[in-house]
Amino acid sequence: MKKKVLIVDDDKEFCEEVADALRYEGYNVETSYDGLDAAEKIDEADYDAVVLDLKLPGLSGTDLLKEIKENKKDLHVIVCSSQTDVIDNFKENSCDDDDECKILGTAHHVMSKPISISSLLAAIRKATNGHRKSK
């Protein structure tokens, strides 16, 4: 059975580039360009992984990540964002108590844009291998 991945980013070109690469690798891929639409899709379907940007219209990526971790704890999330201040604080382990970078600790992998597709594919492969969905 094909692994199912949702790509959530308001950059449609990025979504399509990643989707094409994943489809070539044999994944079943869906895309979403805003947080509210993505939340509905995640609620209605079982995904093996989500590629998530932090800056989204409708519902922010950090708020969506919080929802995912509250409602679908086993869903692997790979954060890919150009919000380098948040990513750098996370990687340097210098998040404040009220800082949005703290929620990144619940992600499977955190990457700064621009990213290489091969690095992202490797992170998705790692996230989806052996992933078992909880009912």
Side-chain angles (χ1 to χ4, degrees):
M1 183 197 265
K2 286 184 175 185
K3 301 287 183 171
K4 191 171 184 178
V5 178
L6 176 63
I7 305 164
V8 186
D9 198 306
D10 60 339
D11 181 343
K12 292 180 183 182
E13 187 176 314
F14 174 81
C15 283
E16 292 311 313
E17 182 179 355
V18 174
D20 288 345
L22 286 171
R23 287 183 187 114
Y24 182 79
E25 295 283 322
Y27 288 88
N28 182 353
V29 183
E30 293 183 12
T31 58
S32 179
Y33 308 118
D34 74 61
L36 292 174
D37 177 65
E40 286 180 28
K41 286 182 176 183
I42 291 166
D43 206 31
E44 295 170 0
D46 285 326
Y47 294 96
D48 295 288
V50 174
V51 176
L52 179 64
D53 188 15
L54 295 178
K55 198 170 186 179
L56 297 168
L59 180 68
S60 76
T62 49
D63 287 340
L64 182 55
L65 181 55
K66 286 179 195 174
E67 280 189 23
I68 291 169
K69 292 305 169 181
E70 287 173 8
N71 301 314
K72 296 208 175 190
K73 292 177 175 71
D74 293 335
L75 178 56
H76 292 287
V77 179
I78 299 156
V79 172
C80 296
S81 180
S82 58
Q83 284 190 273
T84 53
D85 55 333
V86 176
I87 303 272
D88 289 345
N89 285 344
F90 169 74
K91 289 183 177 178
E92 293 168 6
N93 205 15
S94 61
C95 298
D96 296 328
D97 284 338
D98 61 346
D99 198 345
E100 70 179 324
C101 81
K102 277 190 88 109
I103 190 66
L104 295 181
T106 64
H108 184 269
H109 198 83
V110 178
M111 305 175 86
S112 296
K113 287 181 181 175
I115 59 162
S116 73
I117 294 297
S118 61
S119 295
L120 180 55
L121 288 175
I124 292 168
R125 272 189 226 105
K126 185 176 179 183
T128 59
N129 283 338
H131 176 234
R132 296 176 188 253
K133 295 177 190 158
S134 61
K135 299 202 177 206

